[in-house]
Amino acid sequence: MPENKRRALVTGASAGFGRAVALALAERDWELIIVARGADRLERVRAATGAHAIAGDVADPAVRERIAHAIGSRRLELVLNNASALGPSPLPRLDRYPLDELATVLATNVIAPLAILQLALPALRIAGGTVVDISSDAAVGGYEGWGGYGASKAALDQLTNVLAAENPTLRIYSFDPGDMRTEMHQAAFPGKDISDRPEPESVVPALLQLLDTRPPSGRYLASEMRVAP
């Protein structure tokens, strides 16, 4: 691939919002490194985007070693930490939340994004790049059943906040896309009709607006982004 292309790492890229963002960036001629657990679906995104695909769980250190190798020493303009774990479904109250399941949620939603950024920061600094950590209103709201997932996203928000203070030459965002019609959202509401939620593709313009305008580092909501028609 040409050396002058902008490069992005997108995790959780085989479905939902991650897939929608990967396809949109490819349309803008970005060079992509995409990561997800679903190898078959990831391969379809790879075929559509020409991306370098890494099938595996971001919580697995061996997978992160492959990510580091793919990034290499070249400049990297964007890391989108989108891969997330919801936890048990139906969502349990905290007084009976399985602690081993909570550890898995924290490993995917907190430890893995930080580990990925630790390995990607040198390449991001070369480019003066951008980090987007996907957040949720569950990080700030007290919703019954959402304690495990919400706590993990609150922790990720604070990691993002501190990383931004420690890296003033970068743009580092928490981005809350809002409710979307995704498999994860369906798992949070098993058996319920979620067809009134917007498709992930409809949220992508708000993220692209964030990337294009590069406001100060901070927490942003898709619903509050002013997207040009």
Side-chain angles (χ1 to χ4, degrees), residues 10-174:
V10 180
T11 69
S14 66
F17 188 60
R19 173 184 177 276
V21 172
L23 293 175
L25 293 177
E27 286 183 0
R28 289 181 158 211
D29 205 30
W30 284 66
E31 178 184 340
L32 300 177
I33 303 166
I34 56 175
V35 186
R37 287 175 296 179
D40 292 343
R41 294 196 299 187
L42 186 68
E43 170 55 25
R44 288 194 285 274
V45 179
R46 187 210 62 76
T49 61
H52 179 112
I54 299 172
D57 190 334
V58 293
D60 182 348
V63 172
R64 296 200 294 264
E65 286 186 15
R66 294 170 61 197
I67 294 173
H69 181 74
I71 293 173
S73 58
R74 290 174 51 201
R75 56 189 289 135
L76 182 70
E77 277 76 11
L78 172 65
V79 171
L80 174 61
N81 274 315
N82 172 69
S84 298
L86 176 67
S89 174
L91 296 172
R93 291 168 52 96
L94 283 176
D95 58 7
R96 55 177 180 271
Y97 204 105
L99 297 183
D100 57 338
E101 297 275 8
L102 179 59
T104 298
V105 170
L106 294 173
T108 301
N109 298 356
V110 183
I111 304 301
L114 177 59
I116 287 171
L117 291 177
Q118 286 177 342
L119 63 88
L121 278 172
L124 284 165
R125 288 175 179 139
I126 295 172
T130 300
V131 173
V132 179
D133 291 331
I134 296 300
S135 186
S136 166
D137 61 348
V140 294
Y143 308 133
E144 183 176 343
W146 288 84
Y149 181 82
S152 73
K153 289 298 183 180
L156 180 59
D157 276 4
Q158 183 60 355
L159 288 180
T160 306
N161 193 28
V162 173
L163 278 167
E166 294 174 346
N167 294 274
T169 63
L170 305 180
R171 290 291 184 268
I172 302 183
Y173 304 117
S174 291

Side-chain angles (χ1 to χ4, degrees), residues 17 175-178 202-204 206-207 220-227:
F17 188 60
F175 180 74
D176 178 359
S202 69
V203 184
V204 171
L207 178 64
Y220 291 86
L221 281 65
S223 60
E224 295 181 350
M225 297 294 297
R226 294 184 177 180
V227 179

Side-chain angles (χ1 to χ4, degrees), residues 159-218:
L159 288 180
T160 306
N161 193 28
V162 173
L163 278 167
E166 294 174 346
N167 294 274
T169 63
L170 305 180
R171 290 291 184 268
I172 302 183
Y173 304 117
S174 291
F175 180 74
D176 178 359
D179 291 350
M180 296 180 290
R181 199 181 313 170
T182 63
E183 293 174 8
M184 177 180 287
H185 201 78
Q186 185 66 76
F189 299 98
K192 293 188 177 180
D193 180 9
I194 64 165
S195 60
D196 60 331
R197 275 68 164 182
E199 294 281 6
E201 289 78 5
S202 69
V203 184
V204 171
L207 178 64
L208 296 179
Q209 181 79 356
L210 186 69
L211 299 180
D212 288 344
T213 57
R214 304 190 84 232
S217 297

